[in-house]
Structures are given as C-alpha cells and as structure tokens.
Amino acid sequence: QLHWPEVDFSKKSIFSSADRVVSPSQVCLQKISSSVLRGFRDAGSSSYNVLLRAEEEKKKRKKRSACRRPQTSGRGGSSSGRRNRLSPAQKKNRVPDGAEKPVQTHWVSSDLPTPTLMVTGSKLGLSLRTVPQLRKTCIHDGHRPAPPPPHRAPMPREAENGRRFCILSAIKPSNVDKEKEKFFKSGFSYDPQFEYSSPPSAAVLARHNNASDRFLTQAVNIMEAALQRYGSYEKFEQQTGGNLLSKARIWSSVKRYMEKEGCVGEIVVMVTEDLLSRASMTVVNGRPTMSINSSSAREHWLEGMLRHEITHYFRSINNLQQVWSSGGGRKRLSLKPVNPTEEGLASIHSVLFRKDPTLWRAALLYYTVYQASRMSFSQLFHKLGHFVQDPITRWDYCVRAKRGQSDTARPGCFSKDQVYLEGILKILRYRDKIDFPLLMALGKQVSFEDVDRLKALAHMENVRIPHFMQDQARYAEQLTKIMEVNRLTDEELKSLI
C-alpha cells in the first residue's frame, strides 16, 4: 500500500536521468506483504527474494530478531520499539568526479503489520534526514544472503579499449612523486626506480621497446627550425600557446567547442592534473570521457587539443556501424594496423588552424623515445636539455619515454609515442590522394591505406564528421601550411615513404 504526500508532486521530475540520484538516507522500505514479494520474486529480483525468505523464516521463529532500529524523526520515520532485520545493503561503487553515482539502497523489513513504502527526494526540496545507526548483531540464519562482491575500482581514464587499458594502466608508475623528489634532490643524477601496481609481463614490455630512427632527422629538423625562430622551447610555448587557462575558462571553452560539434551532453569532461598526456578520450564506466590536463591547457592550444580528442571520439562512433568493427571483421578483411593513422590524423588536427602549426610535441616525443632506448633516465634528461630548458617539462617527457621500466638506469623505452610523428608524415605524404571525410567516416579501425577498398562496404547513413573538416579546400590549405612551417618537402617524404 502506497501513502502519497499531501502536496501534489505530479508535475515534478523525481527520477529523471539528469537529476541528482536519491541519497541512501532518503530511501526507507518497511514491511511488504508476502504476496507482493512473491510477485517480485517471479520477476527475478534477487533483492526481493532476500526479503521474502527473511519474512518466511521469521514466521517459523518464536523469538524476535535481535536487530533494533533506533527511533527516527521526520517524514517516513518509524516509532521507537520496533525491531527490524537488516539484509545486506547493496555495495556502493566508486565513480569518478562529475559522473553519476549509483544509488546505495538500504532494505529493511519490519515485524510490525503496518505496511508502508515512502520515497523522498531532495530534488523536490524536501529536508534530508540522517540514517540511523544500526547496532551490529549476529544473524543466526542458515540462509543468509551471500556477501556483496569485493569493491572493483572504476576503469582508468586512459582505458579506451581492453588492450590500451592493459598497457597504459600497467605502465603508469605508482611512486612517481616520490622518485621525482629524489631525482631533483640528487641534482638530476639519480635514476628513478619505478614501481607498478600491476606490472606488465616482460613479453609485453619487449613488444613496446623497439624504437625507430626512420624519421629522426625530420624530428630534429622540426625542433631546430622552431629554436631558430623562437630561441627556446619556453618562448615558443608562451608565444604560440599563450597563457595557461583557469579551470573556469577551460570549462567554458570546452562547452563552446562541444556546441560546435553537436556533442553537448554526450561526453563527460574531467579537468585534472593527473595525466601524463595533455588530454585523453577514453571510456569510463561505459561513458565517453574526455580528460584534460589543466597544467598544459593554454589559451591558443586548447581548441587543438579538443579537435584531437573529438577525432578519436567521432571515429570511434563511426566505427561501430561498420562490418569491420569486430576483431573477426578486421581479420576477415585483412585490415592494416590502426596506428599510425589514428594518432597521426588526430595529431594533425591538434595543430590545424594554428598561426604556427609547428609539430614540436610530436617531434620531441619521437626524439625522446629514440634516445631513451639508448641511455639511462638521467642521461636522457640531460640530452633533452638542448631542446627544453625547463626541468619539470623535461622530467615529464622522460617519464613518458621510460614508463614500464623499473630500473631506469638501463637503456629502454616505451615506443608508442613515436606513432604521432610517423602518422603525421605518412598522412602528409599522401594528403593529395586521401579522402579525409571518408577516412573519418569509416571509423578508427581503418588505416588511410585501406580507405579505397573499403568504401564500397561502408555504412554512411549516420556517420559524424567534425565541423572543421566540412570545408575541404580550407582543410587542404592548412595541410600545405603544416608542410611549409615544418620545412617538409614532398620530395623528402616520397624518398622516406
């Protein structure tokens, strides 16, 4: 039997998905008849089955339960003297800031015959009441419900898919702050000894410890050209990137950009300092999540970061409706590897429409990985001093290149960071032949080399293309500008690729 409040709330939204979830203190379930519980049991609800079993067991007992709920005040409270049996509460899962939190529900069945069910929600402006503390007691019941499963941590921000989760989460040092302090106190001579919560196997590390020097000359030339124009990386960063943004300005800029792309409400945005990268587009608890590193969000570079991540997002969405979205489909069609196309295209979009689209970051990542494969952490740190003076920035690049290693005194690297420059140069090499909107539409599983042979199989009805790719003439002009600013020539790229 339901007792409704006297005030008419029929026009209020109580359980709208956009509303704040109901607090555990606002849910109170008292005795429900066994016939109602049997109906819930037939529907397959295990929580109600627990209640039904508890009620039937109590009928067989002569003694009352040892559990007592203290007297509470406020709407929906029970009078003193009532004895209640508490079944295990549903365990509350942790979720990242800014995401919706699951309801933690406490089920309480009463021995007294007054059946009531009341739900209150703060969305209606009702006052909250505190949850009474229940005394611990032993439950002498051979049919006690199984305890809730152990807490499982939410998926990390870097987890875009299973493989990426295994690698990037596993190679993130757990003691990076402590080792950073030791390194700086040593005068940059100490080689950090990194620890990992779930270290990857030696075979996994070996697959990602193969640095290439194929585009090393181009990487060095790109950075040297920037140094000639600006004098140092720090001046280049200030003059081309502008000032660091406050969190409030980051939020407003992200909102405006999402409106341009028609993505308002689709993506969870998190602003944090706990990222090795400048930004990432991942899936957290089943929701697309964009994480932005506030320590590197500059006024003239932020939109480029957003273009980079929205490229990943749209290609991921477009991929879902294609026949090659599964591993079996990829294998059947013999598709080429996802990278370097995926990261190369996104990296091009990072510098697209900048006044100075210098490929500094992609070049420095490529160079750093190559040098890390040949020297220790401290040697690498000093080697980067030619291009980057700021020790904090150098530390960040060294950690990225050395992540996965425990003893960084040994040569070794995480070679994934070389795909950015490699992908950029390969796409620029064939920029006149690539159908870029089609490359975006076919999804992130498709390399630019597979576009022509897959277009006849593509489903194009609901594909999404970023707004900055609509004008292909302007887009082509920007690619040419990137070539010129970075002193790249078609002849040079044709000889390499």
Side-chain angles (χ1 to χ4, degrees):
Q1 183 178 358
L2 301 177
H3 294 267
W4 301 105
E6 297 179 0
V7 182
D8 181 13
F9 293 131
S10 61
K11 296 182 180 180
K12 298 287 186 176
S13 174
I14 299 178
F15 294 118
S16 170
S17 61
D19 293 341
R20 186 161 59 104
V21 298
V22 181
S23 167
S25 64
Q26 298 171 271
V27 179
C28 179
L29 175 63
Q30 294 180 344
K31 182 173 181 180
I32 302 177
S33 67
S34 60
S35 61
V36 175
L37 291 172
R38 287 192 182 94
F40 286 132
R41 178 186 62 188
D42 295 339
S45 172
S46 60
S47 296
Y48 292 108
N49 289 341
V50 172
L51 290 177
L52 182 55
R53 287 198 304 270
E55 182 174 324
E56 291 175 347
E57 287 294 330
K58 283 183 288 186
K59 289 180 180 179
K60 299 177 182 179
R61 296 191 185 95
K62 294 181 180 180
K63 294 182 181 181
R64 290 182 175 272
S65 170
C67 295
R68 180 184 297 274
R69 186 172 62 171
Q71 180 178 357
T72 59
S73 60
R75 207 174 313 196
S78 61
S79 61
S80 63
R82 296 186 180 183
R83 294 182 180 272
N84 303 280
R85 180 175 300 281
L86 178 67
S87 67
Q90 295 177 347
K91 186 147 185 176
K92 179 179 179 182
N93 292 327
R94 186 181 66 188
V95 297
D97 295 339
E100 296 179 11
K101 296 181 179 179
V103 181
Q104 182 184 14
T105 308
H106 296 269
W107 298 101
V108 182
S109 62
S110 171
D111 288 340
L112 294 182
T114 305
T116 58
L117 172 66
M118 173 164 282
V119 179
T120 60
S122 59
K123 190 66 179 180
L124 304 180
L126 302 176
S127 60
L128 302 179
R129 63 182 181 88
T130 59
V131 178
Q133 297 296 321
L134 295 166
R135 289 190 299 178
K136 296 181 181 179
T137 184
C138 295
I139 302 177
H140 302 288
D141 186 357
H143 300 282
R144 182 188 306 187
H151 174 74
R152 299 180 68 180
M155 188 178 294
R157 284 181 294 270
E158 287 88 348
E160 185 172 354
N161 52 51
R163 179 176 298 177
R164 191 175 180 188
F165 163 71
C166 292
I167 296 174
L168 295 186
S169 177
I171 65 172
K172 185 176 181 179
S174 59
N175 63 335
V176 66
D177 291 333
K178 183 177 71 173
E179 293 303 289
K180 181 178 182 179
E181 183 178 358
K182 291 182 180 179
F183 178 77
F184 277 78
K185 284 184 176 180
S186 72
F188 314 137
S189 61
Y190 169 72
D191 290 309
Q193 304 297 299
F194 289 136
E195 298 173 357
Y196 303 91
S197 301
S198 301
S201 66
V204 170
L205 291 177
R207 286 201 302 269
H208 296 276
N209 191 25
N210 299 312
S212 170
D213 63 352
R214 183 180 184 185
F215 304 110
L216 186 63
T217 299
Q218 287 66 40
V220 172
N221 290 344
I222 288 169
M223 293 187 289
E224 291 289 1
L227 290 179
Q228 290 177 12
R229 292 195 298 273
Y230 297 97
S232 67
Y233 170 77
E234 288 71 25
K235 292 180 179 179
F236 161 77
E237 185 178 57
Q238 181 62 41
Q239 294 182 34
T240 64
N243 297 322
L244 288 171
L245 297 176
S246 65
K247 287 189 176 181
R249 288 192 62 187
I250 293 174
W251 284 114
S252 62
S253 298
V254 170
K255 182 177 182 296
R256 286 196 304 270
Y257 183 79
M258 292 299 174
E259 290 172 348
K260 290 181 184 179
E261 301 294 0
C263 293
V264 176
E266 292 183 35
I267 302 172
V268 176
V269 176
M270 300 176 64
V271 179
T272 178
E273 295 181 359
D274 187 27
L275 279 180
L276 286 177
S277 58
R278 294 183 174 182
S280 66
M281 174 60 71
T282 61
V283 176
V284 178
N285 294 333
R287 300 190 64 183
T289 302
M290 180 186 295
S291 300
I292 298 174
N293 192 336
S294 59
S295 64
S296 59
R298 295 184 174 271
E299 55 185 332
H300 303 316
W301 287 355
L302 180 59
E303 185 162 338
M305 291 165 54
L306 297 175
R307 284 195 297 267
H308 183 115
E309 302 307 332
I310 213 68
T311 299
H312 291 315
Y313 177 57
F314 277 2
R315 291 213 347 131
S316 296
I317 291 177
N318 293 341
N319 184 72
L320 294 176
Q321 63 180 333
Q322 307 300 344
V323 297
W324 49 80
S325 60
S326 65
R330 286 184 52 80
K331 185 175 181 180
R332 185 171 60 255
L333 294 168
S334 301
L335 298 189
K336 294 186 179 298
V338 173
N339 275 315
T341 295
E342 176 69 13
E343 292 296 352
L345 182 64
S347 297
I348 286 176
H349 293 165
S350 295
V351 300
L352 207 65
F353 306 119
R354 286 186 186 175
K355 292 182 179 179
D356 184 344
T358 295
L359 298 169
W360 179 286
R361 182 168 176 80
L364 184 54
L365 287 172
Y366 191 97
Y367 176 85
T368 303
V369 166
Y370 173 75
Q371 299 298 345
S373 69
R374 304 168 62 247
M375 56 186 65
S376 69
F377 190 104
S378 57
Q379 291 171 335
L380 176 63
F381 183 88
H382 292 290
K383 185 75 172 180
L384 295 186
H386 175 70
F387 295 108
V388 180
Q389 296 176 4
D390 178 47
I392 302 296
T393 303
R394 269 190 281 169
W395 163 267
D396 289 341
Y397 276 94
C398 290
V399 171
R400 280 188 66 110
K402 286 289 188 179
R403 53 184 166 165
Q405 284 188 282
S406 295
D407 182 6
T408 64
R410 301 177 180 179
C413 68
F414 179 63
S415 57
K416 186 237 177 205
D417 280 346
Q418 288 194 322
V419 301
Y420 300 102
L421 184 63
E422 179 185 357
I424 291 171
L425 297 183
K426 286 185 175 181
I427 289 174
L428 290 176
R429 159 70 173 86
Y430 293 103
R431 69 189 185 281
D432 295 332
K433 298 180 179 179
I434 297 174
D435 185 334
F436 286 96
L438 185 58
L439 178 60
M440 176 66 66
L442 296 184
K444 69 177 299 176
Q445 299 288 350
V446 176
S447 165
F448 74 89
E449 299 168 271
D450 290 328
V451 168
D452 289 339
R453 69 186 185 92
L454 293 180
K455 59 184 177 183
L457 304 174
H459 296 281
M460 304 292 291
E461 292 78 9
N462 299 306
V463 298
R464 299 178 68 174
I465 308 296
H467 80 282
F468 57 84
M469 296 185 74
Q470 304 295 332
D471 187 343
Q472 279 298 289
R474 187 183 179 212
Y475 187 89
E477 290 174 359
Q478 292 298 313
L479 296 183
T480 301
K481 181 178 180 180
I482 292 173
M483 291 278 293
E484 294 172 350
V485 169
N486 292 279
R487 300 182 182 179
L488 299 169
T489 64
D490 288 316
E491 292 72 19
E492 177 185 16
L493 295 183
K494 288 178 181 178
S495 66
L496 287 170
I497 307 168

